[in-house]
Amino acid sequence: MKLIKKLKTLFSTKEKTIGSYTDFWKWFQPKEKRFHNAIRTGQRVDEDFLDPIFSKLQELRSGVYLLAGMSDDNIVELVFTAEGNFRNIYFVEELAAAAPSMAGWKFAASKPPTDISNFVIEMGGYKYDKASLSFYPEEDADYPDEIQITIIHKDFNTENSRDITLGVYNYLDNYLGELNAITIIDSLAVKGPAEAEQELIPIEKLEGYLKWRQKEFVEKYDAVRHNIKEDMYASLNGELEDGRPLVMIVNSTLLEWEGKASHPWIIDFTMEYNGEQTNGMPDKPTYQLMDTIEDAMSARLPDLEGYLNIGRQTGGSKRKVYMACRDFRKTCKVFDQLKEQYGNNISMNLTVFKDKYWRSFDKFRV
């Protein structure tokens, strides 16, 4: 299937604004024949397909993109992609799942894996294929569950390192599938043949290796749960670099837990407030508001369902709440709900990253 991809500035429309998945598909259906014809013929693709769809998607959520092409002579495959943004993955999955049945269409979320047998990408004058790429796994006895991969590209050197690395990421995104590429591999390095420290493995064996490692990981941690009811907490006082106070409350029991890898996704939920008149600390109404928001988040993300509140720090005109999760999708959705509910009262942001051994919390150990 030849894919048409477009990432562009989105613009507003004079049509009625949509506010739900259902609204989007109700808008899409009466126009589907025009959309289908644009992809099938390859004519007026921007005007009749990409521009109107991007415009409508922007009304629902920014940072969502499309892949579209003919999967056979009659079927258009439309893939919604988050382009590696964890925050948007649940959205594209729910949007695709909400699609009604339409003759001549196939809808999906995230780029699917590609048959590697004849798969080649060319970027910036370099090829990415079975002939140019190989790999080997890195192992660390201190972090046995981490999946660390080194990719070797035959043309890699210090001058082209950035371009080659971008090309490798693009190749893996298509070869493994978007979701597998960003969720299974914990760390990735790209090097040249002269830097290889182990025997090289053909790149076509990477998918099988990752499936085996992931299956092993799931079997090891699938039943691991933690109940925080009897955990011990520590209150820490410190200072920011500018001398303003910083107050931290951490679940000290969790920081010593041996099952950390079972909750590999880390959430940094930040609320910012005006603390100029209070030495960077919140006033009483702001403190109560942040507690209300944090309590609402904890109620919707219970520990026994795989959401562990590790602690928080307050100071410097912001509060950061840290969680570890078995999966990040629901956390992102709950954050969006809270932002819609409380976003007019306080600035809120969410960062998602993977850290199987919670090394990002070493600073909280006492």
Side-chain angles (χ1 to χ4, degrees), residues 318-332:
K318 64 179 65 175
R319 171 178 289 182
K320 287 180 171 289
V321 180
Y322 300 103
M323 295 187 71
C325 310
R326 297 184 70 86
D327 184 75
F328 56 87
R329 291 170 176 82
K330 186 177 178 181
T331 314
C332 295

Side-chain angles (χ1 to χ4, degrees), residues 12 105 126 153 207 211 233 236 258 263 309 314 344 360:
S12 61
W105 288 91
Y126 298 101
H153 189 287
E207 182 181 20
K211 285 182 177 179
Y233 291 80
L236 310 172
E258 294 183 354
H263 291 64
N309 192 320
T314 306
N344 291 332
S360 51

Side-chain angles (χ1 to χ4, degrees), residues 134-138 148-152 187-191 196:
S134 52
F135 83 98
Y136 59 86
E138 302 268 9
Q148 305 176 61
I149 302 296
T150 295
I151 302 290
I152 302 297
S187 65
L188 181 71
V190 181
K191 298 180 180 180

Side-chain angles (χ1 to χ4, degrees), residues 144-210:
D145 295 309
E146 281 196 344
I147 300 177
Q148 305 176 61
I149 302 296
T150 295
I151 302 290
I152 302 297
H153 189 287
K154 67 180 184 66
D155 297 321
F156 182 94
N157 56 53
T158 54
E159 286 75 26
N160 65 18
S161 60
R162 182 178 182 276
D163 291 339
I164 293 287
T165 298
L166 288 174
V168 166
Y169 274 93
N170 190 30
Y171 178 86
L172 294 179
D173 209 28
N174 286 277
Y175 163 36
L176 301 173
E178 179 183 0
L179 205 54
N180 290 333
I182 65 175
T183 59
I184 297 179
I185 299 174
D186 294 308
S187 65
L188 181 71
V190 181
K191 298 180 180 180
E195 300 175 279
E197 299 174 351
Q198 298 184 36
E199 182 179 350
L200 301 185
I201 302 171
I203 195 67
E204 56 264 39
K205 294 186 177 182
L206 177 60
E207 182 181 20
Y209 172 79
L210 293 177

Side-chain angles (χ1 to χ4, degrees), residues 297-350:
M297 181 176 69
S298 296
R300 301 179 198 185
L301 301 170
D303 56 316
L304 291 180
E305 290 183 13
Y307 307 95
L308 303 178
N309 192 320
I310 295 172
R312 73 186 189 201
Q313 65 179 44
T314 306
S317 296
K318 64 179 65 175
R319 171 178 289 182
K320 287 180 171 289
V321 180
Y322 300 103
M323 295 187 71
C325 310
R326 297 184 70 86
D327 184 75
F328 56 87
R329 291 170 176 82
K330 186 177 178 181
T331 314
C332 295
K333 186 173 183 176
V334 167
F335 168 79
D336 288 337
Q337 294 168 347
L338 293 173
K339 189 171 184 178
E340 183 175 355
Q341 184 177 357
Y342 297 102
N344 291 332
N345 305 109
I346 192 168
S347 174
M348 301 163 62
N349 191 31
L350 188 76

